[in-house]
Amino acid sequence: MIVGDLSLRELGKQLGAAGLAIQFGPFNLTIRSNLESFASLAHRLYEPYPLPGPGEIADFHVGIASPRGLRRWVRRQASFTLDGQSPFAPYTVEHAFPALEWGINWCVATRAHHLLMLHSAGIERNGLAMLFPASPGDGKSTLCTALIHSGWRLMSDEFGLVRPEDGMLLPLPRLIPLKNESIDVIRRFRPEAIIGPAFLGTRKGTVAHVRPPAESIRRAQEAARPRWFVFPRWIANAPLALEPMPKSRAFLMVATNAFNYEVLDETAFRLVAEMVRTSDCYSLSYSDLDEAVAALDELSNAVDG
Amino acid sequence: MASRLAVSPVVHGLVWQPWDDVYIVYQPSSTETHVFNETTALILKCLEQGPLAIEGIKDWAEAALGVAHGELATADFAFATARLQELGLIECLDETAAPE
């Protein structure tokens, strides 16, 4: 069963009662909310996501709701909650949806230490994964969105989840939060992409969420073998440059960008070293998405050939 | 008596990942990851085999680097050993001063 099998009314009832149980890759969540605007957006953007089977345990109990007490009368606000606690200051109610999305990422980043968590987008083709570790503003979400609308499967826009037992990359195909100019770039690049409303003036500027293609969500339990590390950087008017990167440098960039490298100690070192050793590593400068997609397709085709 | 250097007693089970002329080393006892150039890495590798006099280490490093005797700049060698001592990876066994 998927979220889309629920009517908006049923979804709203679940959100307002015990919570909507939903599965994002390896994580089960329950989401509670008393906000009508949130329910309608969740119904639309979470539509293809599966509901966990009966009896499955939730990893995170999150919520986005009007805070109790005086605050709710002074200014309309929304508080993100985890296990009933509010770890962050309230958001304006108009930003409830992105606040919940960030909150869920925060839950994963701070709690899922049974996995190595790279700060990286990831895509897959023919069982092989391409990872894009990058700093904010380097254009990884834009590039990742372009690629998953060009024949690649989304693994994750934010987390490279690596299973310590075998070094496989686990999918976490959540909504992709595009920011500022990237929103129109993707609207032009793939007009058919499903993009939610633009939230103006958030803590990260204007944000709009892209729903991954249904195929990526349907295959959210299929792991992939890391094969390439590509360190992207969007530079206005820059010519395309895809250049091999020394592995020592790639290792340092991957390790320093991981969410929990220090937490996992030697396991993290060995996993990152093995991934970098067995992957081709490149730096990518681009300004044109079509050129970048073609160049990365070529890497994949070369392996297939 | 010539000063001898040795790997610090708490240092064991170093995990090495060489790439080109860069060595990435994981130190389980401190959970730190170090990045060394070839000279520094070779000195540490040499001392993993047991304590050695400073001159002996330098000779060993020069041989491993494939350079002639005396060709490894004393300043570079001293910098590398000082860095390893600073990180607590090696120590001087004698009371005489560490190399300059």
Side-chain angles (χ1 to χ4, degrees):
Chain A
M1 217 175 148
I2 61 172
V3 172
D5 292 330
L6 303 173
S7 67
L8 176 57
R9 187 185 161 86
E10 286 171 318
L11 181 88
K13 265 179 74 175
Q14 290 192 14
L15 285 168
L20 168 71
I22 189 168
Q23 191 175 57
F24 291 129
F27 305 111
N28 291 335
L29 288 87
T30 60
I31 302 173
R32 297 181 70 181
S33 179
N34 57 6
L35 303 170
E36 270 183 37
S37 57
F38 175 82
S40 59
L41 200 48
H43 192 250
R44 182 178 155 212
L45 290 180
Y46 292 159
E47 185 258 328
Y49 286 94
L51 309 179
E56 287 194 37
I57 294 170
D59 299 283
F60 308 116
H61 297 269
V62 298
I64 189 78
S66 301
R68 292 177 184 164
L70 201 56
R71 269 179 192 273
R72 68 187 303 176
W73 304 110
V74 177
R75 193 169 160 216
R76 293 185 66 232
Q77 292 183 317
S79 271
F80 170 78
T81 58
L82 172 64
D83 297 332
Q85 304 294 312
S86 303
F88 309 117
Y91 296 79
T92 176
V93 74
E94 288 79 15
H95 296 162
F97 193 84
L100 180 85
E101 283 289 301
W102 288 323
I104 293 171
N105 281 352
W106 177 81
C107 292
V108 173
T110 56
R111 305 208 167 197
H113 296 306
H114 58 297
L115 302 168
L116 172 65
M117 292 182 280
L118 309 180
H119 188 195
S120 173
I123 55 174
E124 177 270 353
R125 183 183 271 176
N126 298 330
L128 301 175
M130 183 178 287
L131 287 147
F132 301 111
S135 303
D138 281 343
K140 77 175 161 54
S141 293
T142 316
L143 181 61
C144 180
T145 304
L147 285 156
I148 63 169
H149 288 89
S150 306
W152 292 76
R153 171 166 71 109
L154 176 67
M155 298 299 283
S156 174
D157 166 61
E158 185 73 8
F159 294 96
L161 299 179
V162 184
R163 189 163 57 196
E165 292 84 348
D166 56 8
M168 294 291 277
L169 191 74
L170 303 184
L172 182 57
R174 297 196 355 91
L175 304 182
I176 300 176
L178 293 178
K179 298 174 199 82
N180 304 315
E181 293 83 5
S182 298
I183 301 166
D184 282 337
V185 168
I186 292 298
R187 282 192 207 283
R188 284 195 299 272
F189 182 78
R190 287 289 182 268
E192 69 275 19
I194 297 170
I195 306 179
F199 298 96
L200 308 179
T202 76
R203 295 170 192 179
K204 297 188 178 185
T206 300
V207 172
H209 298 84
V210 178
R211 192 171 83 190
E215 175 76 353
S216 294
I217 297 170
R218 192 183 62 75
R219 296 173 60 195
Q221 303 302 321
E222 287 181 33
R225 173 73 56 197
R227 179 64 181 77
W228 302 273
F229 279 103
V230 176
F231 298 83
R233 188 140 183 243
W234 183 87
I235 303 171
N237 304 316
L240 182 87
L242 181 66
E243 292 167 351
M245 175 183 278
K247 297 215 173 197
S248 55
R249 185 157 168 241
F251 175 96
L252 293 173
M253 290 177 72
V254 173
T256 53
N257 269 309
F259 287 101
N260 61 346
Y261 181 86
E262 287 81 6
V263 176
L264 295 190
D265 294 342
E266 187 171 341
T267 299
F269 176 88
R270 290 185 183 278
L271 283 171
V272 175
E274 178 64 14
M275 277 192 292
V276 171
R277 196 163 42 232
T278 54
S279 298
D280 296 331
C281 304
Y282 298 90
S283 65
L284 169 71
S285 305
Y286 75 99
S287 58
D288 183 295
L289 278 176
D290 284 308
E291 286 181 359
V293 168
L296 298 176
D297 280 349
E298 190 55 39
L299 289 183
S300 171
N301 295 340
V303 169
D304 294 340
Chain B
M1 192 174 79
S3 294
R4 290 187 312 149
L5 296 176
V7 169
S8 300
V10 295
V11 175
H12 48 81
L14 295 175
V15 187
W16 292 81
Q17 176 57 63
W19 269 308
D20 309 316
D21 55 354
V22 174
Y23 290 73
I24 299 175
V25 182
Y26 179 77
Q27 182 185 355
S29 57
S30 67
T31 73
E32 290 175 313
T33 302
H34 307 288
V35 183
F36 295 133
N37 64 17
E38 200 168 16
T39 302
T40 310
L42 287 172
I43 292 168
L44 184 58
K45 268 186 182 288
C46 172
L47 290 173
E48 274 193 307
Q49 297 168 28
L52 201 61
I54 288 172
E55 270 310 308
I57 301 167
K58 189 162 182 288
D59 290 346
W60 192 93
E62 285 169 338
L65 286 167
V67 299
H69 181 70
E71 201 172 308
L72 175 58
T74 305
D76 291 346
F77 178 76
F79 180 83
T81 52
R83 181 73 185 130
L84 290 169
Q85 284 183 292
E86 192 178 270
L87 290 169
L89 286 163
I90 65 171
E91 61 184 24
C92 194
L93 293 180
D94 310 308
E95 289 188 359
T96 44
E100 293 176 4

